[in-house]
């Protein structure tokens, strides 16, 4: 185990699978006391057990972040209680991806995706960042996406929510940064867990320097850096961990 986050406390939303699971595991490995959060008690318990078995500190707090201020407030309160009264690091990771086109998106889906992907982290940050200020500082890390800045013909609604989160990153950095709370974001490319079958997203990473999809651990390591003192001079930045998808085009010879 490392010590880059030794003595810190962290809440990672949507951390019972994929990127969130990798982040909470990496934070614990660097010495943070973490709260694993999500809807599945069973999956959360397994992750907590694995972290503890590796010598880390972790607890599970169930949460269904439906976009209401009340749900976000309850999670903030319960997580702070488990973590000894303070949250040093907040990772707004939870999100849903409907994958529908504009014409196929009904109003109910629209409202639900914005509730989970934008309203929930908005009100969770509203509940936690002021407490970080009172405690002397902290770090908020949002999850953006490469599709916020490179248009693709599907997932339009999801793309717009990630654009909102990247904008909120800069606005919150201006609002809370002068008071000691650093706010930044990680923008992943196509990220998949190891599987026997090819992932349909692999085609979207063709023509990039990486040439293929990334792993959840790649995003987790970026989050560790942003949460650590190593990034003390980093504010309002979106860190692209996307294999070069947004910034680079590799041309065939």
């Amino acid at each position: 185990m490392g010590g880059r986050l030794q003595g810190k406390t962290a809440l990672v939303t949507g951390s019972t699978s994929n990127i969130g699971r990798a982040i909470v595991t990496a934070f614990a490995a660097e010495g943070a006391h973490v709260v694993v959060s999500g809807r599945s008690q069973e999956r959360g318990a397994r992750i907590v057990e694995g972290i503890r078995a590796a010598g880390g500190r972790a607890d599970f707090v169930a949460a269904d972040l439906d976009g209401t201020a009340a749900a976000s407030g309850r999670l903030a309160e319960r997580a702070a209680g488990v973590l000894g009264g303070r949250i040093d690091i907040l990772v707004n990771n939870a999100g849903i991806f409907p994958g529908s086109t504009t014409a196929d998106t009904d109003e109910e889906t629209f409202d639900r995706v914005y509730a989970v992907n934008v309203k929930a982290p908005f009100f969770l940050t509203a509940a936690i960042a002021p407490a970080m200020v009172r405690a002397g500082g902290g770090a908020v890390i949002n999850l953006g996406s490469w599709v916020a800045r490179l248009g693709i013909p599907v997932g339009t609604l999801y793309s717009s929510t990630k654009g909102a989160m990247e904008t909120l990153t800069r606005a919150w950095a201006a609002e809370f940064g002068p008071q000691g709370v650093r706010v930044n974001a990680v923008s992943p490319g196509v990220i998949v867990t190891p599987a026997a079958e090819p992932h349909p997203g692999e085609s979207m990473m063709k023509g990039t320097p990486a040439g293929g999809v990334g792993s959840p651990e790649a995003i987790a390591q970026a989050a560790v850096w942003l949460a650590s003192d190593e990034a003390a001079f980093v504010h309002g930045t979106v860190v692209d961990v996307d294999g070069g998808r947004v910034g680079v085009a590799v041309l065939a010879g």
Side-chain angles (χ1 to χ4, degrees):
M1 294 182 66
R4 296 160 75 190
L5 302 179
Q6 193 66 44
K8 301 292 187 180
T9 61
L11 165 62
V12 181
T13 67
S15 49
T16 58
S17 64
N18 205 14
I19 290 174
R21 176 175 57 198
I23 292 174
V24 81
T25 301
F27 279 9
E30 290 293 342
H33 181 184
V34 298
V35 162
V36 179
S37 180
R39 289 177 294 178
S40 173
Q41 180 82 38
E42 181 181 353
R43 288 191 299 180
R46 285 200 301 267
I47 294 168
V48 167
E49 182 181 358
I51 290 172
R52 290 177 177 175
R57 298 182 65 195
D59 293 279
F60 176 72
V61 175
D64 184 1
L65 295 175
D66 58 8
T68 61
S72 292
R74 283 194 297 271
L75 175 57
E77 183 177 3
R78 292 185 62 197
V82 167
L83 294 171
R86 78 179 200 277
I87 299 170
D88 298 315
I89 305 160
L90 167 63
V91 180
N92 287 311
N93 169 72
I96 53 176
F97 177 78
S100 55
T101 63
T102 300
D104 292 331
T105 301
D106 57 33
E107 187 173 5
E108 181 181 358
T109 300
F110 185 101
D111 289 343
R112 181 167 178 263
V113 173
Y114 260 83
V116 175
N117 292 11
V118 181
K119 284 184 67 181
F122 183 93
F123 286 115
L124 190 58
T125 301
I128 292 174
M132 289 178 172
V133 171
R134 292 191 296 271
V140 177
I141 302 169
N142 298 319
L143 267 290
S145 173
W146 66 280
V147 296
R149 278 166 288 133
L150 184 64
I152 60 173
V154 294
T156 310
L157 181 60
Y158 176 82
S159 299
S160 70
T161 66
K162 290 305 179 179
M165 288 309 298
E166 293 191 6
T167 297
L168 283 171
T169 297
R170 293 182 285 271
W172 283 336
E175 183 176 357
F176 297 114
Q179 302 176 79
V181 177
R182 294 186 302 104
V183 185
N184 293 287
V186 180
S187 178
V190 178
I191 303 297
V192 300
T193 54
E197 298 296 325
H199 190 275
E202 290 181 5
S203 62
M204 295 182 180
M205 294 300 291
K206 291 181 178 179
T208 66
V213 299
S215 69
E217 288 72 25
I219 309 305
Q221 290 307 311
V224 167
W225 175 67
L226 286 173
S228 74
D229 292 340
E230 297 165 15
F233 201 53
V234 182
H235 292 261
T237 294
V238 179
V239 178
D240 293 322
V241 187
D242 63 359
R245 176 70 286 171
V246 170
V248 182
V250 176
L251 304 178

